[in-house]
Amino acid sequence: MRPDPRLTPLSPDPQSVIEGAPQGARLSMSVTHAVASPMRRAQFPIFVAAATCAFAGVWMSVPLAAVILTEQGASPALVGLYAAAVWISALVTAPASPWLAGWAGGALRLHQAAGLTSALALLGLATNPPLALWFVFGGVLGMASCLTWTTADAIAGAMAPPGREGQFLGIYQTFISAAIGGGPAVLWLSGVQAGAFAASAGLMLAGFGLTLMLREVRGAVPRRMRLSLVRLRPVAMMMLAPAGAAMLCGALEGTAGAVFPVQGLALGLGAAAAASIVVATGFGNMLAQYPVGMLADRFGTHRALLGCAVAVALGSLLWPVLAPDWGIWPVLAVWGGAAGAIYTLGMVRAVQRFAGPARALGMAGLNTAYLLGGAIGAPLGGLLLEAVPGWGLPLAVSVVALGGGLALSLAALRRGG
């Protein structure tokens, strides 16, 4: 199914404008284009570097908070509740991101403001505040980091040239996955302590500094978005499979980031090793982007989704058996690759199906679905770990992965794979 042409704004052909101009004007524009081309080409790698710093800073704080709260005597349920506060604050912010970007003057400006706000929240956590302030700073961090993420996805999608979306988004997602896995690795240098949140804030500020070299990207935020049920209905129907994939991935990664470190401590891992679980899953996520994309192109998205779900289910059952031995790390890497690829498959389908205002709505819906999954998965995972110690959490994650993967595979198959 193709996007409704009413949802796709028409844009003039730059080549036709140049050909219709006087000769002197054509020469001037060609010289300007020759000078500007290297600058435009540099925009994407600079932006990817900035987004990598931002994502590394945010995801470094996820296992750090879980381990510090646990070592201070917080129960697994309370740790999951803190994670849920972060996810829920992000969840209520995500749907408004296209409008907030328009109000701020562009996606890049909102991205910069959100990065600075995230850094301030992380510096607040670095003071090891009372428990109530943990939830306050966590809520601010959730909202700001959500806007950092949604604007980053919108900018990356706008920078991708037509016909090469998969290649550009594959590069973007590979570096983001490296940041998600590599950010927590900074804890090996800083140590698992509250002051390490300052290092996380430093990464956010480094990303902000890189964005000062960028210009606002056209197409990241539509100029006008007139909503009606007639316009929203086709968007919602086409978003079933992509949004479902994002929600499943959010639930899985929310559980892994907030509860797997606590489960690792219970299984005999040290504090640093437990915090490094997110490093292993993020490393696998980074390596899985291109291979899963190739499999989807060759065998269909529905088969790729089902294969990822099976890998997640098997890994969920296997790594607790192997803990605390070294064998958990390759299993967690495969688990993280399969879980992260579920979101990537949903994102590629959304970018290919939508354009213009519909794409902005589709990407906001994708982000919202992911956050909703994380807001559900993190607290439920903590409750399961506390209420049914042992195999309660691994079995629940396996059932959710298999059931969700099968449903999404059937939905993608009905809509053309």
Side-chain angles (χ1 to χ4, degrees):
M1 181 182 297
R2 295 185 178 181
D4 188 338
R6 293 173 298 175
L7 302 178
T8 307
L10 298 177
S11 58
D13 183 3
Q15 186 65 29
S16 65
V17 174
I18 294 175
E19 290 178 354
Q23 182 175 359
R26 290 201 301 268
L27 178 60
S28 175
M29 282 185 283
S30 64
V31 173
T32 302
H33 181 269
V35 175
S37 291
M39 295 177 61
R40 282 200 297 267
R41 287 195 295 267
Q43 294 286 293
F44 184 72
I46 292 174
F47 169 71
V48 170
T52 300
C53 291
F55 276 77
V58 170
W59 282 92
M60 172 185 169
S61 68
V62 174
L64 178 61
V67 173
I68 288 178
L69 287 173
T70 300
E71 290 187 336
Q72 291 180 352
S75 66
L78 184 59
V79 174
L81 186 61
Y82 167 80
V86 178
W87 285 92
I88 291 173
S89 62
L91 173 63
V92 300
T93 307
S97 57
W99 290 270
L100 290 174
W103 174 80
L108 180 60
R109 289 187 180 180
L110 182 59
H111 183 81
Q112 292 169 335
L116 287 177
T117 305
S118 297
L120 292 175
L122 289 166
L123 289 175
L125 291 174
T127 64
N128 196 12
L131 183 60
L133 286 181
W134 272 81
F135 284 84
V136 173
F137 288 128
V140 174
L141 178 62
M143 290 187 289
S145 61
C146 170
L147 293 175
T148 303
W149 168 41
T150 54
T151 52
D153 279 3
I155 294 170
M159 283 184 170
R164 300 175 64 191
E165 295 93 346
Q167 177 184 351
F168 271 63
L169 291 177
I171 295 172
Y172 167 73
Q173 286 289 352
T174 297
F175 276 88
I176 295 307
S177 300
I180 292 174
V186 179
L187 296 176
W188 294 339
L189 301 176
S190 64
V192 182
Q193 54 182 329
F197 283 114
S200 183
L203 288 172
M204 298 294 300
L205 293 174
F208 170 79
L210 288 171
T211 62
L212 297 178
M213 304 169 62
L214 302 175
R215 295 176 297 177
E216 198 67 52
V217 182
R218 293 183 59 185
V221 179
R223 295 180 180 178
R224 293 185 300 175
M225 289 201 305
R226 296 178 178 176
L227 300 181
S228 66
L229 292 177
V230 176
R231 288 175 178 265
L232 285 176
R233 186 176 182 276
V235 176
M237 293 301 294
M238 287 189 291
M239 278 299 296
L240 288 177
M247 185 174 179
L248 176 60
C249 178
L252 295 172
E253 292 190 340
T255 301
V259 186
F260 274 17
V262 181
Q263 185 181 11
L265 291 173
L267 292 171
L269 295 177
S276 299
I277 287 177
V278 182
V279 178
T281 57
F283 182 73
N285 192 358
M286 176 186 67
L287 296 180
Q289 303 302 315
Y290 274 116
V292 172
M294 293 174 60
L295 290 174
D297 289 340
R298 184 171 181 179
F299 300 108
T301 307
H302 60 290
R303 291 190 178 93
L305 283 169
L306 186 58
C308 289
V310 171
V312 169
L314 292 177
S316 300
L317 296 174
L318 186 57
W319 86 266
V321 176
L322 299 175
D325 294 334
W326 65 268
I328 66 171
W329 304 114
V331 173
L332 286 169
V334 173
W335 190 99
I342 293 174
Y343 177 84
T344 302
L345 292 170
M347 182 179 180
V348 171
R349 286 176 64 85
V351 169
Q352 291 176 341
R353 284 176 175 266
F354 301 115
R359 176 177 290 181
L361 290 173
M363 296 305 296
L366 201 71
N367 301 145
T368 303
Y370 178 90
L371 292 167
L372 179 60
I376 294 173
L380 286 184
L383 288 173
L384 275 171
L385 187 61
E386 184 173 6
V388 190
W391 286 100
L393 180 62
L395 287 174
V397 173
S398 297
V399 170
V400 169
L402 284 178
L406 180 60
L408 292 171
S409 179
L410 293 175
L413 182 62
R414 285 196 298 267
R415 298 181 181 276

